[in-house]
């Protein structure tokens, strides 16, 4: 790519991440560890690290987090996305399509008139 | 890309997801539940649901998963991405930029000549 | 305590659980799946299922949970403890001793006069 | 109790942990952070830290872990048990009874003749 700072935000945001992660793992000979099962494990580990800064806070707004935790959160979110992209790559899943498909299914599962303002129905309890 | 069914894969794949999720939550009056802390909790719950089909398998390849588990995995990945996009939206984080930034940091943290083929150094143990 | 229905609460509460879980797995020929890695995966899956009922609540008190979620929480806690006991069994760890050891270490790590009333120091941020 | 080193292993192993954790939190004025929801969040964070050392390993046996990771695993298991005991304390749940109850339910849910040697039925897929 040659377009400089904007390259990451252009066409194929997730594609450019996938490409860099493929090179990253290949250079380190880490593909051997990247079974789908292991990537799913690593993903939940990162998701929990993302939750950690929030665990004793009230709501976890940007202000409540403060600069250090905000940065930590940003980087943990990046780790989650990285493992998600790597797992999708291994399993040949188009993340963006799958997500649009799931949102459509959720719209059927949670009809507006039945769940409006109600967290309990939201959670199947 | 120009139009129709392919629109989700073009420029702004995550942007189109973010827009749909905003509408989805607004219609159901669920924004009140979507504090960053709650979204981070929901994200780890979905990440664990993503891990569940893999838990007793050897490697979790597409073949080993089978069609039903593969579909379940795909939808759980969609849920993880949805919460990640919602959390990024609340915290005003550009996910793709943050991930490129983190990959660059990881390249410095794990120099090829020190970690090549070595999972142990990879994990800080 | 002497006998019958109360036996589970007497000497060796965790021992009696471990014994039942050994029999349970052996009868079903599930030991083959119970590698430490798989048990640790199953444990985090159950821990996330335990978090799920709380995810949209304010504090998750008994009253706020309500009867159905309270029962679900109770059973998920049981699942977490079961996997913890099974993992400890495989790795030959005495859970109660290990926990007393860790509490002693934590008392040194978090001196009362440095962390009193402060969640932030508690979390290493 | 007066018997010294054995006190932790005698009657009420979890009771002695609960008592120490109550004092630990009270001394640090941390009870204010220990809502059931927050404790459930902290528990899943620790469960994921417990999974982390296993994530790139094959089976995670004691030998494969090595001494450092084994110690880390032991301490993370202690953290999981601590939060489980604290959550049970807040919600007035008898962990050992609840676990025996759940094992009895699982025996009905997974009849030996239907799931023998079969991980797939085990996982509801």
């Amino acid at each position: 790519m040659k377009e400089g700072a904007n390259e990451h935000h252009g066409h194929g945001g997730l594609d450019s991440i996938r490409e860099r992660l493929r090179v990253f793992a290949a250079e380190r000979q880490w593909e051997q560890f990247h079974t789908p099962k292991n990537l799913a494990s690593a993903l939940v580990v990162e998701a929990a690290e993302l939750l950690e800064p929030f665990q004793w806070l009230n709501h976890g707004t940007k202000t409540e987090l403060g600069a250090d935790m905000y940065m930590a959160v940003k980087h943990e979110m990046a780790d989650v996305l990285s493992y998600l992209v790597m797992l999708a790559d291994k399993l040949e899943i188009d993340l963006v399509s799958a997500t649009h498909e799931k949102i459509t299914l959720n719209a059927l599962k949670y009809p507006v008139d039945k769940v409006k303002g109600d967290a309990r129905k939201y959670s199947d309890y």
Side-chain angles (χ1 to χ4, degrees), chain A:
Chain A
M1 276 178 210
K2 7 170 208 189
E3 311 81 351
N6 285 325
E7 68 183 314
H8 305 145
H9 309 290
H11 180 77
L14 296 186
D15 294 349
S16 66
I17 290 172
R18 188 185 61 227
E19 292 311 311
R20 282 189 72 191
L21 291 172
R22 280 183 184 174
V23 172
F24 192 92
E27 283 177 345
R28 284 157 187 79
Q29 299 181 353
W30 283 354
E31 295 110 329
Q32 58 185 310
F33 307 117
H34 292 174
T35 63
K37 175 176 176 147
N38 287 359
L39 293 171
S41 296
L43 195 155
V44 79
V45 168
E46 296 302 334
E49 288 180 7
L50 169 58
L51 178 58
E52 192 178 13
F54 294 101
Q55 69 190 339
W56 310 121
L57 304 185
N58 287 318
H59 302 299
T61 59
K62 209 167 162 174
T63 313
E64 199 187 6
L65 280 170
D68 288 356
M69 283 206 268
Y70 183 74
M71 185 61 78
V73 160
K74 195 171 112 174
H75 286 159
E76 298 302 344
M77 291 177 76
D79 287 332
V80 171
L81 186 58
S82 293
Y83 283 119
L84 200 60
V85 167
M86 291 166 81
L87 181 57
D89 195 16
K90 295 287 172 194
L91 293 176
E92 301 173 272
I93 286 168
D94 180 323
L95 272 179
V96 173
S97 287
T99 304
H100 277 290
E101 191 178 303
K102 189 56 167 34
I103 295 172
T104 300
L105 289 171
N106 282 345
L108 297 169
K109 187 175 174 187
Y110 301 110
V112 170
D113 61 325
K114 289 204 177 161
V115 300
K116 204 167 179 177
D118 190 338
R120 215 156 285 248
K121 288 180 187 167
Y122 188 3
S123 294
D124 296 324
Y125 286 97

